[in-house]
Amino acid sequence: MLKSRGEKIFNVINITIMLILFAIFIFPYIIIISSSFSGERALAKYGPGFFIRDFSFASYLYIFSAGSTVLRSLGVSVYITLVTTVLSVLVNALLAYPLSRHDLFGKKILNIYVVITMLFGGGMVPFYLLIEDLNLLNNLWSLILPVVVSAWNIILLRNYFAALPDSLEESAKIEGAGNVRILFEIYIPLSASVIATVALFAAVNQWNSWTTARLFIDPNHSELYPIQYVIRNMIINMDSISSGAGGGASNVPQIGVQNAAIIVATLPIVCVYPFLQKYFINGTIVGAVKE
């Protein structure tokens, strides 16, 4: 099919803009990768750049050395991300399913209540006092529970469930199935795309979070710090990671360690995303649109 001149011009402009955006997004990551593999003297002389100078694994060897706080915090992040993802899918689905039913009493009020939480919050001080009253300070649950429920994820799931044929629920109830069985054996298996989307949202949100650790975990319990908070401390003050390495710390490139830590922190999510991308796009479109 022949394209008009206007369509050709639009495609050229569109491709040009996409290439520019791609360059803006990918170039900083290339610099970070090259700096993480560069030696201390090369970084001190030339600074970070697109090309690796004086190739060295020193930064990564330091990060993964025995007793490294980075390796421990990486394990903490993996654990809380997995737990948060599972709980988020479970809890949000349990709330979204009844909200998608036409015969739910007080459905409008409950939907308004969910949406209001996207617009207004209690504030940081009440948030801290609540966690303190629940005796969750210096506990990993203080990093998990606050991000389990998401209004946006509930709306995605609710719209997806509401779009499924009512005949599925009716036939299941005729066979004697209850609401819990209908949800877990019919609705969730048929909602793989939106479930994957919610799981990805929850995982990325938890993996990138560091503010809750700053609020609820004190320095005496630093073994509970997630990877993002440790990286933040590294970038702000390199001395915080050099103090435990003794005299050998002077041989480690500070900029290289910072960049290597960023790679270590982002690599798990970067590896997981391609496998969930098609479900993510499909689930977002279907869950966000209600016909």
Side-chain angles (χ1 to χ4, degrees):
M1 181 178 179
L2 295 177
K3 295 182 178 180
S4 65
R5 183 179 179 184
E7 290 177 326
K8 292 179 180 179
I9 294 174
F10 172 78
N11 288 337
V12 171
I13 295 174
N14 194 30
I15 292 172
T16 302
I17 293 174
M18 290 299 104
L19 289 174
I20 293 173
L21 290 175
F22 175 78
I24 292 173
F25 295 144
I26 199 66
F27 283 174
Y29 208 70
I30 294 175
I31 294 174
I32 290 172
I33 293 174
S34 64
S35 299
S36 69
F37 286 105
S38 296
E40 178 184 14
R41 294 181 179 178
L43 287 172
K45 183 176 181 180
Y46 301 103
F50 286 102
F51 304 103
I52 298 174
R53 299 178 183 272
D54 188 18
F55 185 87
S56 173
F57 283 110
S59 299
Y60 290 95
L61 290 175
Y62 176 77
I63 288 176
F64 291 106
S65 62
S68 173
T69 57
V70 173
L71 190 59
R72 183 174 61 247
S73 63
L74 188 62
V76 170
S77 286
V78 170
Y79 173 76
I80 63 175
T81 299
L82 291 176
V83 174
T84 300
T85 302
V86 173
L87 288 178
S88 183
V89 170
L90 178 62
V91 173
N92 290 322
L94 287 172
L95 181 53
Y97 173 70
L99 290 177
S100 68
R101 300 302 87 202
H102 305 296
D103 56 349
L104 176 67
F105 178 76
K107 178 181 176 180
K108 283 189 176 180
I109 296 176
L110 290 174
N111 277 300
I112 292 173
Y113 178 79
V114 170
V115 173
I116 284 177
T117 62
M118 300 176 66
L119 306 175
F120 305 100
M124 187 177 296
V125 174
F127 185 27
Y128 180 87
L129 293 176
L130 174 63
I131 297 300
E132 185 180 35
D133 289 342
L134 293 174
N135 294 320
L136 293 178
L137 294 180
N138 300 314
N139 190 310
L140 285 181
W141 285 107
S142 66
L143 309 181
I144 297 172
L145 293 180
V147 295
V148 165
V149 180
S150 166
W152 172 250
N153 290 340
I154 291 171
I155 292 172
L156 282 180
L157 287 165
R158 182 202 65 189
N159 290 349
Y160 196 97
F161 291 159
L164 295 175
D166 293 335
S167 57
L168 290 172
E169 182 181 7
E170 293 170 359
S171 60
K173 286 185 176 180
I174 292 174
E175 295 295 329
N179 288 320
V180 175
R181 188 173 180 182
I182 292 172
L183 172 62
F184 286 99
E185 295 188 12
I186 298 177
Y187 276 68
I188 288 181
L190 291 175
S191 309
S193 59
V194 73
I195 292 295
T197 302
V198 170
L200 185 62
F201 279 153
V204 172
N205 182 49
Q206 179 65 279
W207 188 268
N208 291 331
S209 177
W210 61 268
T211 53
T212 50
R214 185 181 185 185
L215 282 173
F216 306 132
I217 308 295
D218 62 42
N220 295 327
H221 297 82
S222 60
E223 69 276 3
L224 301 179
Y225 286 159
I227 184 67
Q228 300 298 346
Y229 189 63
V230 171
I231 289 175
R232 173 187 176 275
N233 291 339
M234 285 184 183
I235 295 174
I236 291 177
N237 184 8
M238 185 60 191
D239 292 338
S240 64
I241 66 169
S242 299
S243 59
S250 59
N251 298 322
V252 179
Q254 295 186 2
I255 297 176
V257 170
Q258 293 172 359
N259 287 287
I262 293 173
I263 297 298
V264 170
T266 58
L267 191 60
I269 290 295
V270 170
C271 292
V272 169
Y273 182 77
F275 297 100
L276 298 177
Q277 182 180 12
K278 66 175 182 178
Y279 298 107
F280 170 73
I281 296 173
N282 201 19
T284 302
I285 294 174
V286 176
V289 178
K290 178 72 168 67
E291 297 182 358

